Amino acid sequence: MVILARGANYSHHYAAMATSFCPALPQHFKPTPISRFPQVSFSFKVFSSQTSADENPTRLGFLGLGIMGSPMAQNLIKAGCDVTVWNRTKSKCEPLIDLGAKYKQTPGEVAASCDVTFSMLADPESAMVVACGEHGAASGMSPGKGYVDISTVDGPTSKLINGQIKETGALFLEAPVSGSKKPAEDGQLIFLTAGDKSLYDKVSPYLDIMGKSRFYLGDVGNGAAMKLVVNMIMGSMMTSFAEGLLLGEKVGLDPTVIVEVISQGAISAPMFSMKGPSMVQSKYPTAFPLKHQQKDMRLALGLAESVSQPTPIAAAANELYKVAKSHGLSDHDFSAVIEALKVKLKD
Ligand SMILES: NC(=O)C1=CN([C@@H]2O[C@H](COP(=O)(O)OP(=O)(O)OC[C@H]3O[C@@H](n4cnc5c(N)ncnc54)[C@H](OP(=O)(O)O)[C@@H]3O)[C@@H](O)[C@H]2O)C=CC1
Ligand SMILES: O=CCCC(=O)O
């Protein structure tokens, strides 16, 4: 069911109205902006397992069950979707199988048994091998099927995967996400999609289960570019925040007060408020692994290089992430980049 309503100011009113129409269906209900026209309209989407439980429900595959993929697949299962999973490390499939997912031995077998297959892999290399390698998803693709790659990769990788999928007659959509572990758990991700519009239309109900909004950006490569631009800014912001916390502390300021002051002013950001308190305690519980942030800085710098755009701030930030990696912080949250600034230089 989709309830359409115009105007951003009345979202909670319309949300209450929709819930009163459908009291049995509130579990996956949330007001969602129609992101292609963010300035003019909102839609409210109610996904119900009943609506998908028709004669031939769409069979969904999910490849890659890491920090992000696991809760995303879990939300699809909990919404009543028919989901088949695969992960390189099979043990990560088990909690989802317990929730009702099916399991196949290879990405190709998942794709062969599903109508649409989602993938959420670490980086360009793993996205390529899972899509196009031996027993990869492409080996199970054929006309009528679709492949949706949610991994954060660069445009050239996404275009290569698109080409291989298209050769099978299937459709392709790149759909990287903004939002981290908690938004993935809460179904509040922001999808940045590009590619086959008909596949975008087909999978929109599923994107709405996993996310709060979705953007359709046209040709393959635009979704990857949008994601890299956003993460490049985020990565630079984090290093600047880390510098400020350490400088403030060194001149005698209480870093918890710095976090509070920032939260009330013009540079307030959810990221600072969420990560700041644990950073001042030198704790970095992983939501977004530092190794992935450094990968995104590297890919964003490659994108900048491809169009001769100067990005000196991002280049400097990237060096700090590389230093943090060399200190064994790859699997910590990316906020651990602050540790790279604590390293004492030799005399
Ligand atoms: N965490 C976050 O906050 C966000 C992450 N992203 C992006 O989403 C993607 C996934 O992130 P996240 O879930 O955090 O990452 P994780 O490191 O938790 O998971 C990575 C996944 O990729 C799989 N993988 C890695 N290498 C290979 C390989 N060679 N062959 C097959 N599978 C492989 C892993 O399998 P295995 O379990 O066997 O290791 C795992 O399923 C990344 O591109 C990341 O940049 C995007 C938004 C937010
Ligand atoms: O790619 C990771 C993004 C993390 C976030 O948007 O909070």
Side-chain angles (χ1 to χ4, degrees):
M1 170 194 273
V2 175
I3 298 173
L4 285 173
R6 282 191 179 275
N9 295 335
Y10 300 101
S11 62
H12 295 292
H13 172 72
Y14 289 127
M17 195 173 76
T19 310
S20 72
F21 285 156
C22 322
L25 302 175
Q27 190 186 1
H28 287 279
F29 171 70
K30 57 201 173 230
T32 304
I34 295 179
S35 304
R36 288 166 56 212
F37 309 103
Q39 71 283 21
V40 292
S41 52
F42 269 69
S43 75
F44 300 94
K45 300 175 184 68
V46 180
F47 184 90
S48 116
S49 56
Q50 287 98 319
T51 57
S52 73
D54 54 13
E55 295 292 302
N56 296 302
T58 303
R59 296 161 302 171
L60 305 177
F62 210 107
L63 312 172
L65 302 171
I67 292 170
M68 297 296 284
S70 288
M72 294 170 79
Q74 186 166 322
N75 282 336
L76 292 172
I77 297 163
K78 286 184 172 170
C81 300
D82 178 329
V83 180
T84 303
V85 296
W86 172 90
N87 191 63
R88 178 180 63 175
T89 306
K90 190 188 167 190
S91 58
K92 292 188 190 169
C93 296
E94 271 140 30
L96 297 160
I97 295 168
D98 289 345
L99 285 174
K102 297 168 194 156
Y103 171 77
K104 293 283 180 191
Q105 303 261 11
T106 67
E109 287 176 38
V110 172
S113 69
C114 293
D115 303 300
V116 173
T117 301
F118 295 95
S119 59
M120 188 48 156
L121 286 316
D123 49 25
E125 295 72 27
S126 53
M128 270 301 290
V129 78
V130 169
C132 309
E134 195 181 3
H135 310 300
S139 67
M141 286 283 162
S142 56
K145 293 180 186 285
Y147 191 69
V148 182
D149 193 358
I150 313 170
S151 325
T152 303
V153 300
D154 54 317
T157 299
S158 199
K159 286 174 189 170
L160 276 174
I161 296 173
N162 174 52
Q164 298 269 321
I165 297 293
K166 287 299 188 44
E167 273 187 19
T168 70
L171 300 177
F172 177 77
L173 191 73
E174 62 178 8
V177 286
S178 252
S180 194
K181 185 178 174 197
K182 181 77 166 54
E185 288 167 356
D186 295 346
Q188 292 288 310
L189 295 168
I190 301 162
F191 283 90
L192 310 171
T193 76
D196 286 306
K197 180 67 166 55
S198 59
L199 181 56
Y200 171 75
D201 292 335
K202 179 172 181 167
V203 301
S204 288
Y206 309 109
L207 303 187
D208 290 345
I209 291 169
M210 297 183 280
K212 67 176 178 184
S213 64
R214 49 185 154 86
F215 291 73
Y216 179 76
L217 302 166
D219 294 338
V220 172
N222 291 347
M226 180 68 84
K227 174 63 184 165
L228 293 179
V229 166
V230 172
N231 271 29
M232 183 187 84
I233 296 169
M234 186 177 76
S236 298
M237 280 172 65
M238 178 54 83
T239 54
S240 185
F241 183 54
E243 280 182 345
L245 288 180
L246 292 178
L247 171 62
E249 196 170 14
K250 212 161 234 179
V251 298
L253 300 175
D254 179 343
T256 60
V257 179
I258 300 174
V259 173
E260 178 59 25
V261 169
I262 288 173
S263 77
Q264 295 191 25
I267 63 163
S268 159
M271 180 175 84
F272 297 151
S273 297
M274 282 186 303
K275 310 244 181 209
S278 48
M279 287 170 73
V280 303
Q281 296 177 56
S282 303
K283 291 186 180 146
Y284 316 105
T286 309
F288 182 36
L290 187 141
K291 65 186 174 191
H292 292 335
Q293 176 65 78
Q294 195 276 319
K295 173 255 304 177
D296 293 351
M297 298 306 281
R298 172 172 61 81
L299 298 178
L301 291 173
L303 178 65
E305 179 74 31
S306 73
V307 290
S308 300
Q309 172 61 42
T311 47
I313 308 297
N318 183 43
E319 293 304 314
L320 273 182
Y321 289 103
K322 284 161 63 181
V323 171
K325 273 174 69 176
S326 75
H327 288 286
L329 296 165
S330 287
D331 292 318
H332 289 65
D333 190 70
F334 76 116
S335 50
V337 73
I338 193 171
E339 292 294 328
L341 293 162
K342 293 181 186 172
V343 174
K344 288 198 172 59
L345 298 174
K346 288 190 182 134
D347 294 330

